[in-house]
Amino acid sequence: MERSLRAARVATYVYFVLCGTLMGAWVVHIPAIEERVGISHATLGGLLVILGVGAFTGMQVAGRLTDSLGVRVVVPASGVLCGAALALPGLARDPWTLAASLLVFGFCNGCLDVSMNVHAVHVEKAYGRPVMSGFHATFSVGGVVAALVGAGAASAGLDPAAGMTVMGAVSVAIALASARALLPAAPPSACTASAEQEQEQTKAPSAAKRHGVGGRVWLLAVLALMVMLCEGAANDWSALHLKDVLGASASTAAFAYGTFAAAMTTGRLLADRLAARFGSMAVLRHGAATAAVGITLVALGPWLWAAFAGWALFGLGLSGCVPQLFSAAGHADPAAAGANVSRVAGLGYVGMLAGPAVIGWLTHLVALNHAFVLLTLLCVTTAVAAGTLRTGHDTTRESELVPSDN
């Protein structure tokens, strides 16, 4: 494997860790910023919606810019802007300036999210085997880094504005230093393409339209919405489930989300090898089915051990689903990889934001654990619809994805 390709893969890991760290840096400072600005939890909830609107908008803009300008421009530029924007929430002194800063930070983070995923698709294509899930696993590592740095800064008595500014400045330097390792706009293939293959690639956009790639990408986006809605629900309701439904102590309940997150990270570290051996469709189908079993155990099991086992299965099953959907969207039409990934990521992000609210609304009608049955239905639907990943284009691509020892 060429050294430049290895460097591009490492750079992609760096940007995923960077993105997770920047978002985590905001999350760990939320309590301090909320207190300083003097807002209620309800007001903070509205401001988080503004952050989501900014992220969704950034995803759509970055998708098209990546297709037109290339990943070598958009990825580092997004990283620099996101690092610089991290300082803004820390400097806010009232709800209005905080809202504006979160809109800007969300926009920049959305740009980085989509552009780095598009570059990950290029790296995966050049490697000739699945590597997307490993990138998504390192995003979680970034959250851990942010938590550790934030805890250290708080114990040292560092003001949130100073801490976020320093972390943002370091992130800007890292984004710039990693830019040189990114792949060019036209990533090298694992094998040298012949002139005839290049002509076929030139014709790909029109052929893609004839075969309904646009409609398929929206189907992938709907699946991403359902999967990420499940993730969002687990993030906000797993601990409350153990505490309110099963009567666990606050300390025990906290391990519910930890179990889910640990299982998801572990699953993503393994998913690439599974996709290389069994195919992305199998990972999505069996993963969603496993998640359905897990959340059903959570919904119906009356014991703590069943809840922990259920959340672990839920996280393990969901872990490989989103990377397969992002990868499929990016490979569907190489000429429009950015736009396609932005659609899937954008609609998936809507699901992530909507998940907690949907479950919360259902608790007005049924008990919390029974509301989780909706997640079972979404996982079953995803498993049934996993065949969306299997098309003629994917069959050709999978024949080119030859597992290697690297």
Side-chain angles (χ1 to χ4, degrees):
M1 192 68 64
E2 294 181 5
R3 182 178 301 177
S4 61
L5 184 53
R6 293 179 186 274
R9 187 180 183 186
V10 172
T12 311
Y13 283 129
V14 170
Y15 281 107
F16 269 80
V17 173
L18 189 66
C19 188
T21 302
L22 290 170
M23 181 55 72
W26 150 248
V27 171
V28 299
H29 285 101
I30 285 178
I33 293 175
E34 181 186 37
E35 181 179 357
R36 189 189 63 205
V37 176
I39 56 176
S40 64
H41 292 334
T43 301
L44 176 63
L47 293 175
L48 293 178
V49 172
I50 293 176
L51 174 71
V53 170
F56 179 83
T57 305
M59 289 176 180
Q60 306 314 305
V61 172
R64 297 190 179 279
L65 286 179
T66 302
D67 289 334
S68 59
L69 301 179
V71 289
R72 259 192 162 170
V73 174
V74 181
V75 174
S78 298
V80 168
L81 292 175
C82 194
L86 177 64
L88 299 179
L91 297 172
R93 290 295 183 270
D94 58 69
W96 294 106
T97 55
L98 182 57
S101 64
L102 289 179
L103 183 66
V104 173
F105 177 65
F107 179 87
C108 296
N109 191 266
C111 289
L112 179 57
D113 194 318
V114 163
S115 60
M116 70 184 187
N117 270 288
V118 174
H119 185 260
V121 170
H122 293 338
V123 172
E124 183 176 65
K125 182 177 181 180
Y127 255 85
R129 62 183 175 88
V131 294
M132 179 67 79
S133 295
F135 295 137
H136 282 250
T138 56
F139 179 89
S140 301
V141 173
V144 174
V145 171
L148 294 175
V149 173
S155 64
L158 191 64
D159 181 74
M164 295 173 78
T165 300
V166 171
M167 186 173 288
V170 172
S171 299
V172 168
I174 293 174
L176 290 173
S178 303
R180 294 182 61 185
L182 297 177
L183 293 176
S189 173
C191 301
T192 303
S194 64
E196 182 178 349
Q197 288 174 323
E198 292 176 356
Q199 292 177 358
E200 289 299 322
Q201 292 172 356
T202 303
K203 298 176 182 178
S206 59
K209 291 180 182 178
R210 289 198 303 269
H211 288 87
V213 165
R216 175 173 174 257
V217 167
W218 282 114
L219 287 175
L220 294 172
V222 171
L223 293 179
L225 183 147
M226 292 191 292
V227 170
M228 293 180 73
L229 188 151
C230 292
E231 288 187 30
N235 291 343
D236 282 28
W237 291 103
S238 52
L240 286 171
H241 164 255
L242 261 71
K243 183 175 181 294
D244 294 347
V245 177
L246 300 180
S249 64
S251 58
T252 300
F255 282 103
Y257 173 70
T259 300
F260 170 81
M264 175 164 281
T265 302
T266 302
R268 284 182 170 170
L269 292 173
L270 299 174
D272 286 330
R273 292 185 179 276
L274 294 175
R277 182 170 183 178
F278 302 107
S280 59
M281 183 181 69
V283 172
L284 180 61
R285 174 163 291 161
H286 295 294
T290 300
V293 172
I295 197 61
T296 300
L297 190 59
V298 169
L300 303 180
W303 310 286
L304 280 176
W305 68 263
F308 280 117
W311 286 118
L313 285 173
F314 193 51
L316 190 65
L318 291 179
S319 62
C321 294
V322 168
Q324 307 313 313
L325 295 169
F326 279 28
S327 179
H331 287 293
D333 181 2
N340 290 337
V341 171
S342 70
R343 290 169 187 155
V344 174
L347 205 55
Y349 194 76
V350 170
M352 178 74 78
L353 294 175
V358 170
I359 295 299
W361 178 79
L362 285 176
T363 58
H364 293 293
L365 304 175
V366 297
L368 174 59
N369 57 317
H370 295 156
F372 291 151
V373 173
L374 171 65
L375 307 183
T376 299
L377 296 176
L378 293 178
C379 290
V380 170
T381 302
T382 301
V384 171
T388 304
L389 295 184
R390 173 72 67 179
T391 67
H393 181 275
D394 287 326
T395 302
T396 301
R397 182 170 67 87
E398 287 179 3
S399 67
E400 298 172 352
L401 298 182
V402 180
S404 65
D405 295 330
N406 295 310

